Amino acid sequence: MKKEMVALLASSFILLSAISVASYWGNLQRDRSHQRLVHSYRTIGALESFLSNLKDIETGVRGYVLTRNPSFLTPYFDAKKHYDIRKAELQKIYSAGNHELHTLFTLAEARIRQADDVLTNLQTPEVQQFISEGTGKRLMDAARLHVNHLTMYE
């Protein structure tokens, strides 16, 4: 009877220990999953903010080109002020060697330079040709594609 009690207590202790280990492991997995989820939401949000910032630059220039009304440049100037902040947010999230992110920054900066050129040289034939050829649209489409690629991996 005494041996049976000891065996029962030992079995109970082993079972309780196994349940505790499984519970602890499950909590660790849940915490890791939560951290990955938070990271994904943060990353996707930063990518969307970056792209939205770039769209504001494009929208401001487009509005001004169509109307010549300087009030349409407000999103352009606001977005240019925030560009470095948005870029820094993404650089904090991604490793320095991320090729997709580097390509996104290259495309974005080319688009910003072209937007600046449009505003500076609006009446020149080169800018009129740039607008009619859709170069800015192609850059924005490529930037959207890279944001989509980066988002897919989250």
Side-chain angles (χ1 to χ4, degrees):
M1 175 95 157
K2 194 172 187 179
K3 284 184 177 183
E4 291 171 352
M5 282 297 278
V6 170
L8 183 62
L9 283 174
S11 298
S12 298
F13 178 75
I14 290 170
L15 182 61
L16 184 59
S17 295
I19 291 171
S20 295
V21 167
S23 176
Y24 178 75
W25 185 81
N27 284 335
L28 281 178
Q29 292 302 102
R30 188 197 70 224
D31 290 345
R32 287 182 188 137
S33 293
H34 177 74
Q35 289 170 357
R36 284 192 300 269
L37 184 64
V38 167
H39 173 78
S40 290
Y41 280 127
R42 182 174 166 238
T43 301
I44 291 168
L47 285 165
E48 288 175 352
S49 289
F50 184 85
L51 187 59
S52 178
N53 199 68
L54 202 54
K55 288 179 200 174
D56 287 346
I57 289 171
E58 182 181 44
T59 301
V61 171
R62 183 183 306 127
Y64 180 74
V65 166
L66 292 172
T67 66
R68 300 299 197 271
N69 180 341
S71 70
F72 280 89
L73 290 173
T74 300
Y76 165 81
F77 288 120
D78 288 346
K80 281 195 69 168
K81 277 191 275 188
H82 295 106
Y83 176 78
D84 288 332
I85 295 167
R86 302 288 179 254
K87 182 178 177 180
E89 288 171 352
L90 288 172
Q91 287 171 323
K92 283 180 193 173
I93 294 170
Y94 287 97
S95 63
N98 187 295
H99 177 71
E100 287 284 333
L101 189 65
H102 175 73
T103 302
L104 175 62
F105 291 156
T106 301
L107 290 166
E109 288 158 15
R111 181 62 183 111
I112 291 168
R113 278 192 307 279
Q114 288 181 332
D116 293 343
D117 288 347
V118 166
L119 293 177
T120 305
N121 306 303
L122 192 55
Q123 300 305 322
T124 64
E126 294 84 16
V127 168
Q128 295 301 319
Q129 182 179 359
F130 162 77
I131 292 170
S132 67
E133 289 177 348
T135 305
K137 180 185 181 320
R138 282 193 300 279
L139 284 170
M140 284 300 294
D141 289 345
R144 285 182 189 93
L145 181 67
H146 283 280
V147 166
N148 288 340
H149 282 226
L150 288 163
T151 303
M152 246 180 11
Y153 297 116
E154 287 304 314

